């Protein structure tokens, strides 16, 4: 049903096991639409975002179409169709793996190469498994400031900051 909300395609990107599917599940309360496009090896979930700012700035109503690569696929395997018409991206890093924070930059480079520049945010997931001391905040802040985009520390397991992440990307694409 068309309820008039603009729909935006969000690419959910990150290495295998970083928590892409878990973050989406946490965000949409286990509601999954995986009937569509299984031949392309992706799941698509829908999430409505409504934000009210009391007149300070324009309210946001948007429906996010979250594209999640199913299974274990490397960057090279990913089809063009996955990226096509992407309005924004969530790039996910696994905070328990130090190199993953740097490596996750490859996902946005790949995206830029395939479809050009789109708005995106970084999410550092599995925050529940790391202590402040483990985190290389210098690397995280450097990456965030270089791309001028937030790097949100989140836990898909406990729901910490997961809504914030989806609201942040909604603001960027709305
Ligand atoms: P994907 O391959 O990127 O879709 O990753 P999954 O969502 O399948 O998650 C990979 C593994 O990490 C699973 O065993 C999840 O239960 C686990 N996981 C995902 N997010 C978190 C998190 O925030 N905290 C913890 N402790 N485990 C997580
Ligand atoms: Mg997955």
């Amino acid at each position: 049903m068309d309820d008039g909300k603009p729909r935006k395609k969000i690419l959910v990107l990150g290495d295998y096991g970083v928590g892409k599917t878990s973050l989406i599940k946490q965000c949409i309360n286990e509601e999954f639409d995986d009937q569509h496009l299984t031949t392309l090896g992706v799941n698509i979930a829908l999430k409505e975002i409504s934000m009210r700012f009391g007149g300070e700035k324009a309210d946001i109503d948007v429906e996010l179409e979250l594209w999640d690569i199913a299974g274990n696929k490397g960057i090279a395997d990913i089809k063009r169709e996955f990226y096509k018409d992407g309005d924004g991206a969530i790039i996910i890093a696994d905070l328990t793996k130090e190199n993953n924070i740097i490596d996750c930059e490859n996902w946005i480079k790949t995206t830029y190469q395939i479809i050009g520049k789109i708005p995106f945010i970084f999410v550092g997931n599995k925050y529940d498994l790391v202590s402040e001391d483990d985190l290389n905040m210098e690397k995280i802040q450097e990456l965030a400031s270089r791309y001028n985009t937030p790097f949100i520390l989140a836990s898909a397991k406990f729901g910490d900051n997961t809504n914030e992440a989806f609201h942040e990307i909604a603001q960027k694409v709305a």
Side-chain angles (χ1 to χ4, degrees):
M1 210 172 75
D2 181 11
D3 55 7
K5 286 186 181 156
R7 190 185 276 197
K8 301 288 178 175
K9 176 175 173 177
I10 305 299
L11 314 173
V12 181
L13 303 171
D15 292 348
Y16 181 68
V18 296
K20 299 180 294 295
T21 304
S22 302
L23 272 167
I24 293 172
K25 269 193 184 156
Q26 175 64 253
C27 162
I28 62 165
N29 299 322
E30 313 281 313
E31 280 180 31
F32 247 126
D33 178 5
D34 58 3
Q35 297 168 4
H36 237 66
L37 294 169
T38 40
T39 49
L40 287 178
V42 301
N43 287 316
I44 298 171
L46 295 177
K47 172 74 176 174
E48 276 189 25
I49 304 275
S50 293
M51 282 182 275
R52 300 283 168 266
F53 299 103
E56 271 175 48
K57 52 181 174 174
D59 292 339
I60 290 172
D61 285 303
V62 64
E63 189 167 41
L64 300 182
E65 209 179 84
L66 302 166
W67 285 57
D68 177 24
I69 303 159
N72 187 358
K73 301 226 166 172
I75 290 177
D77 299 332
I78 293 160
K79 305 280 186 289
R80 231 191 134 72
E81 290 93 294
F82 179 83
Y83 289 90
K84 193 169 169 266
D85 299 327
D87 295 300
I90 301 177
I91 314 282
I92 303 168
D94 182 339
L95 293 174
T96 67
K97 299 186 182 121
E98 190 176 339
N99 287 337
N100 202 241
I101 294 168
I102 292 305
D103 291 346
C104 75
E105 191 181 356
N106 291 328
W107 287 97
I108 199 61
K109 285 182 179 162
T110 302
T111 304
Y112 282 1
Q113 274 165 20
I114 297 175
I115 55 167
K117 288 201 174 184
I118 55 170
F120 77 97
I121 59 163
F122 289 113
V123 172
N125 188 39
K126 309 194 187 181
Y127 193 33
D128 58 286
L129 294 177
V130 296
S131 69
E132 293 293 329
D133 295 342
D134 295 334
L135 282 180
N136 192 332
M137 286 310 294
E138 230 169 76
K139 270 188 193 171
I140 287 173
Q141 280 158 1
E142 188 276 324
L143 199 55
S145 68
R146 190 146 43 83
Y147 283 95
N148 192 25
T149 200
F151 194 116
I152 295 169
L153 303 174
S155 167
K157 185 168 180 180
F158 295 105
D160 301 330
N161 262 344
T162 50
N163 275 331
E164 286 76 0
F166 290 97
H167 279 207
E168 196 71 46
I169 192 63
Q171 292 200 49
K172 286 201 165 233
V173 297

